[in-house]
Amino acid sequence: MERLFAQHACREKIELSPMWLLKTEDAGGLEKPEKALVPSVWESHPRLRNYRGRAAYTQTFTGGGNLLFRFGGVSFRAKVFLNDVLLGEHMDAFTGFSVLAKGIEEGTHTVRVAVDNRFGPDAALHVPNDYYSYGGINRPVTVERVPDIFLTALYAVPECKDGTWQVHVTVTGRNVSGEDGTCTVRLFLGDAHWEEDVRFPAGEEHSVRFTLSCPEVQVWSPETPVLYTIRACLAKDGEVTDDLIERFGFREVRILGNRILLNGQPLFLRGFNRHEELGAFGVSVPVEGMMRDLQLMRELGANCVRTCHYPNDPRFLDLCDELGMLVWEESHARGMNEEKMRNPAFMPQLRTSTREMVVQHINHPSIFIWGCLNECADDTVYGEACYREILDLLRSLDPSRPVTAALLRRPGSRIFDAPDVVSINTYPQWYHNASVREDIDDKLVEIRKKGGMGKPIIISEIGGGAIYGFHDPLGEAKWSEERQATILRTQLEAILSHEALSGVFLWQFADVRVDESWAMSRPRTMNNKGIVDEYRRPKAAYSVVRELFHSL
Ligand code: ADA
């Protein structure tokens, strides 16, 4: 199941067995090929827990025609072969991609995915980091049989104009034949339908736009997460040849002065930073685990989640749409200094991650803000230019949502004027001993002085660590559950009573694995700042957060 709803009513899907054959190629791997479930990361295999290298996943299936292979995510270099012919490649674990095999004869075929999670200069975003870069096919794979002209995207962006809702729809089709072709594009939304004859030039992708007026709709909100289904069809000589189904919601996010408005009402964000990771499953989180995380967050009184530091599985976003959980989604990049940002591969890969995130996730009503470039070199001239470019790219890809970036906790940022919402990561009481109120007030002075005056401000990270099960009778020792609970209480009380702030994302929801190079400052080679551990066992801070989030 790659989504929580069917994306096609008429396109033929070729069922692949979830059981693939995995063969590793480097030291520390398997001696013999073994069966492996897809999706999953190879680190979930007890012998591959620390394997960093190359591997191949193979699978046979029966089918033919134009075959579209869609990958939700491969961590983190992928090359896809059909019967040993290279179809395409992709870099980065956190966005989907597809490859097409044209005019394949009916029969039994072998698909092979060569995966590589070794670090290297060609991988500018996947670097040894304060989270783990896993190996494997981490999100679902589908194979579909498509006609020569088929649908590749359906965007539905709602707008409330003079009190009336409309939705701007873009339907994109691709013609993979050698000749221009004309199809009827039909759109269905509720009881209404629209259609237009469209010419698709040979060998190209072509889009057509509709603005649909929707006078009577139910608005999506965290309390009433009402979703609408829209279906686009292609028809030829009266017969439907392809279709694509998407879900969206009618809701509006606006910035008014220093407040973020959702459907005209000011938002106060109470949320968590959540890495896409669950215990031994690593970054390949089963959908049941995603749902449970969201249930825990709701139980804790949260209304939002930040997908630090990369785009998430669309199934997680589907669940957020369903449950009314607001999402800050950000493209991939964490903690890059100027040297890393100057890697020639950095900006091209970041642009791709940003573009793929927005075009793949634009329909999710739960996403209320786009983010980028967590704690990179926003205090240097070069870094500033990168931030400005990516924030502008986000705006140009989707003018309907505000943009932000979680900035360094040290002073000197050059870009407080650039985002629509200013977001700050700070760890008073954990990394430094300042009073929380004074620490935040100092930062507010700096933000206002340097171009952020009048904008909404969010604390995008704050927290402290605890090792699950480590108790200090005096409650004073760092890494004890008691000390973490005290720190979070002090931090949250200061933030929740601060009139100038628009919300907080606690760092972090659950403990996560980190790269070994971080081990000396990260006991257990984990980032232990979760209020639950990697298996979601609550620490003492859990009930503190629940009490304070619910007190609002
Ligand atoms: C930063 C960073 C996080 C994490 C955190 C921490 O704010 O954005 O990814 O590393 O610090 O735990 O120190």
Side-chain angles (χ1 to χ4, degrees):
M1 182 187 41
E2 68 279 13
R3 296 295 295 272
L4 291 190
F5 59 96
Q7 285 209 281
H8 306 280
C10 84
R11 188 185 284 181
E12 187 190 334
K13 193 165 162 181
I14 296 173
E15 286 299 333
L16 285 189
S17 161
M19 194 60 85
W20 293 52
L21 198 64
L22 167 65
K23 179 176 173 292
T24 57
E25 285 172 33
D26 293 297
L30 302 168
E31 294 80 55
K32 285 197 291 230
E34 282 197 26
K35 288 181 177 170
L37 277 179
V38 165
S40 69
V41 290
W42 61 55
E43 289 81 358
S44 56
H45 186 299
R47 285 212 305 285
L48 299 179
R49 166 97 183 131
N50 302 307
Y51 180 68
R52 191 162 290 287
R54 290 165 299 172
Y57 288 82
T58 48
Q59 175 66 274
T60 54
F61 64 92
T62 304
N66 295 332
L67 299 178
L68 185 68
F69 295 82
R70 299 202 296 125
F71 292 83
V74 178
S75 188
F76 52 83
R77 285 184 202 82
K79 282 190 183 164
V80 183
F81 299 84
L82 183 67
N83 304 325
D84 287 329
V85 177
L86 179 66
L87 297 179
E89 36 192 299
H90 186 262
M91 166 81 86
D92 206 297
F94 304 117
T95 42
F97 63 98
S98 61
V99 293
L100 181 76
K102 253 180 70 180
I104 300 302
E105 238 177 73
E106 287 297 330
T108 300
H109 306 285
T110 301
V111 56
R112 174 164 53 90
V113 187
V115 185
D116 182 351
N117 77 338
R118 291 171 305 170
F119 295 122
D122 66 317
L125 306 178
H126 278 284
V127 297
N129 217 329
D130 200 8
Y131 58 91
Y132 197 81
S133 277
Y134 287 87
I137 303 178
N138 51 306
R139 292 181 189 163
V141 184
T142 51
V143 187
E144 293 157 356
R145 189 200 293 263
V146 292
D148 281 349
I149 303 178
F150 62 97
L151 293 168
T152 53
L154 171 59
Y155 305 145
V157 179
E159 187 191 8
C160 189
K161 216 171 173 191
D162 308 323
T164 306
W165 284 99
Q166 51 185 31
V167 57
H168 303 285
V169 180
T170 308
V171 183
T172 306
R174 180 172 165 201
N175 180 353
V176 295
S177 76
E179 287 171 12
D180 290 1
T182 300
C183 290
T184 307
V185 174
R186 290 192 188 135
L187 270 183
F188 298 88
L189 176 59
D191 295 334
H193 102 269
W194 296 261
E195 66 176 52
E196 195 174 309
D197 287 341
V198 180
R199 193 166 179 75
F200 290 92
E204 286 182 24
E205 240 183 10
H206 178 71
S207 296
V208 40
R209 288 181 181 80
F210 300 78
T211 292
L212 316 181
S213 166
C214 308
E216 281 182 28
V217 298
Q218 282 178 278
V219 169
W220 185 98
S221 73
E223 299 75 34
T224 57
V226 181
L227 296 170
Y228 284 80
T229 297
I230 186 164
R231 179 172 181 231
C233 292
L234 292 180
K236 230 179 159 136
D237 307 324
E239 225 172 88
V240 176
T241 52
D242 195 27
D243 72 340
L244 182 55
I245 298 166
E246 286 285 349
R247 282 195 326 192
F248 71 101
F250 289 91
R251 59 101 190 88
E252 185 195 52
V253 185
R254 244 173 354 111
I255 304 295
L256 186 66
N258 69 348
R259 292 292 162 209
I260 307 167
L261 305 185
L262 179 72
N263 302 325
Q265 298 299 317
L267 273 180
F268 190 87
L269 300 161
R270 321 176 290 276
F272 291 98
N273 287 280
R274 172 186 177 272
H275 269 292
E276 190 159 66
E277 186 175 292
L278 172 58
F281 297 120
V283 76
S284 190
V285 181
V287 70
E288 294 82 354
M290 299 177 187
M291 179 68 177
R292 174 147 159 80
D293 280 0
L294 286 166
Q295 285 167 332
L296 285 169
M297 288 185 207
R298 272 160 48 120
E299 143 85 7
L300 280 153
N303 61 2
C304 58
V305 56
R306 173 173 170 225
T307 71
C308 51
H309 298 300
Y310 38 76
N312 271 25
D313 190 315
R315 292 171 300 170
F316 182 73
L317 302 170
D318 283 344
L319 289 170
C320 291
D321 293 343
E322 296 261 5
L323 299 177
M325 183 66 84
L326 294 164
V327 180
W328 159 341
E329 182 162 61
E330 70 191 42
S331 51
H332 189 193
R334 181 213 166 272
M336 304 291 181
N337 60 20
E338 179 165 340
E339 191 191 335
K340 288 187 180 132
M341 293 176 86
R342 281 186 181 273
N343 175 338
F346 180 80
M347 283 306 278
Q349 287 174 11
L350 178 59
R351 285 182 202 114
T352 302
S353 173
T354 304
R355 196 170 289 116
E356 288 179 341
M357 170 179 79
V358 177
V359 301
Q360 290 170 19
H361 299 164
I362 193 163
N363 293 332
H364 292 280
S366 54
I367 299 176
F368 75 103
I369 197 164
W370 298 116
C372 62
L373 285 161
N374 174 80
E375 289 194 358
C376 296
D378 59 318
D379 55 344
T380 74
V381 174
Y382 181 78
E384 173 185 355
C386 300
Y387 269 92
R388 289 189 191 279
E389 182 193 319
I390 299 300
L391 289 166
D392 285 346
L393 175 61
L394 284 168
R395 288 191 180 103
S396 69
L397 290 166
D398 179 13
S400 79
R401 289 173 172 95
V403 297
T404 191
L407 300 176
L408 274 172
R409 44 186 177 262
R410 63 181 152 82
S413 175
R414 305 171 65 91
I415 61 143
F416 287 136
D417 63 305
D420 302 316
V421 174
V422 179
S423 301
I424 290 290
N425 297 346
T426 186
Y427 287 80
Q429 307 276 306
W430 179 254
Y431 286 127
H432 55 282
N433 279 332
S435 109
V436 180
R437 177 78 196 201
E438 278 170 27
D439 177 75
I440 291 173
D441 285 345
D442 284 354
K443 291 193 163 65
L444 293 183
V445 170
E446 167 108 1
I447 290 168
R448 289 177 178 136
K449 215 165 58 198
K450 297 209 177 131
M453 178 79 101
K455 292 180 187 247
I457 298 170
I458 294 177
I459 302 297
S460 37
E461 290 181 27
I462 195 161
I467 293 168
Y468 176 81
F470 171 45
H471 294 283
D472 172 26
L474 298 179
E476 290 163 359
K478 275 206 167 167
W479 300 113
S480 69
E481 288 195 27
E482 293 78 9
R483 180 71 181 272
Q484 184 198 35
T486 309
I487 291 174
L488 261 66
R489 179 178 291 283
T490 314
Q491 293 169 336
L492 266 185
E493 280 175 352
I495 291 169
L496 301 183
S497 62
H498 203 303
E499 57 302 331
L501 298 175
S502 286
V504 58
F505 289 83
L506 287 178
W507 187 270
Q508 63 181 335
F509 174 63
D511 293 350
V512 292
R513 186 175 180 184
V514 303
D515 186 78
E516 194 180 87
S517 55
W518 283 73
M520 291 308 115
S521 57
R522 298 282 184 261
R524 309 192 302 136
T525 325
M526 303 281 292
N527 186 313
N528 295 296
K529 297 189 190 74
I531 64 154
V532 296
D533 77 351
E534 64 274 29
Y535 296 106
R536 284 35 181 174
R537 294 178 298 184
K539 303 179 191 172
Y542 183 101
S543 49
V544 171
V545 173
R546 186 175 51 186
E547 174 201 322
L548 293 175
F549 274 0
H550 280 288
S551 72
L552 282 187

